[in-house]
Amino acid sequence: QVELVESGGGSVQAGGSLTLSCAASANTNSNYCMGWFRQAPGKEREGVAAIETGGSSIYYADSVKGRFTASRNHAKNTLYLQMNSLKPEDTGMYYCAAQPFCWGPGILKGPTYNYWGQGTQVTVSS
């Protein structure tokens, strides 16, 4: 069983930056793919960024490419999301997710994952 706890959310103005963290309770080693998802009120959950098993590839949603960077620290069992040039449309609840042995662009899809955190709120004002 893997428990995930997100932190780092908050309120910022457009153009600002935030770094989200996702701490895992178990050893989510390189066998796990891990991803960030977000959900705005009234909208479906969407994949934002994900790192595949082994870490060879990182996938991003088109809406965040060039602005967001996902990374992980295996020693700390932590996944990060650096968010720059934030826009009001980035507002939402951000969740991290983990799943062993997954690869390819499909890791940006929610059904890939069995383990989810409780989320951290990001609000970007114009």
Side-chain angles (χ1 to χ4, degrees):
Q1 184 72 17
V2 175
E3 293 185 358
L4 304 170
V5 179
E6 303 93 337
S7 61
S11 297
V12 296
Q13 290 190 329
S17 298
L18 282 174
T19 300
L20 305 184
S21 300
C22 172
S25 64
N27 184 16
T28 51
N29 56 28
S30 59
N31 288 335
Y32 282 75
C33 68
M34 296 188 74
W36 287 101
F37 293 78
R38 67 187 180 189
Q39 187 166 22
K43 294 187 176 181
E44 293 186 354
R45 180 181 59 193
E46 63 171 340
V48 175
I51 303 176
E52 68 179 14
T53 293
S56 295
S57 294
I58 304 176
Y59 298 91
Y60 295 95
D62 289 342
S63 58
V64 306
K65 284 180 180 177
R67 301 188 298 122
F68 289 13
T69 302
S71 62
R72 61 193 298 184
N73 184 321
H74 291 291
K76 295 183 178 181
N77 291 331
T78 302
L79 175 73
Y80 301 97
L81 185 68
Q82 174 67 44
M83 306 186 294
N84 299 324
S85 302
L86 283 161
K87 303 175 181 180
E89 51 264 44
D90 294 318
T91 293
M93 186 69 78
Y94 281 68
Y95 301 91
C96 72
Q99 181 67 22
F101 302 112
C102 42
W103 299 266
I107 65 175
L108 275 175
K109 299 185 185 301
T112 296
Y113 299 88
N114 285 323
Y115 302 107
W116 292 85
Q118 295 299 307
T120 186
Q121 177 68 35
V122 172
T123 303
V124 185
S125 58
S126 58

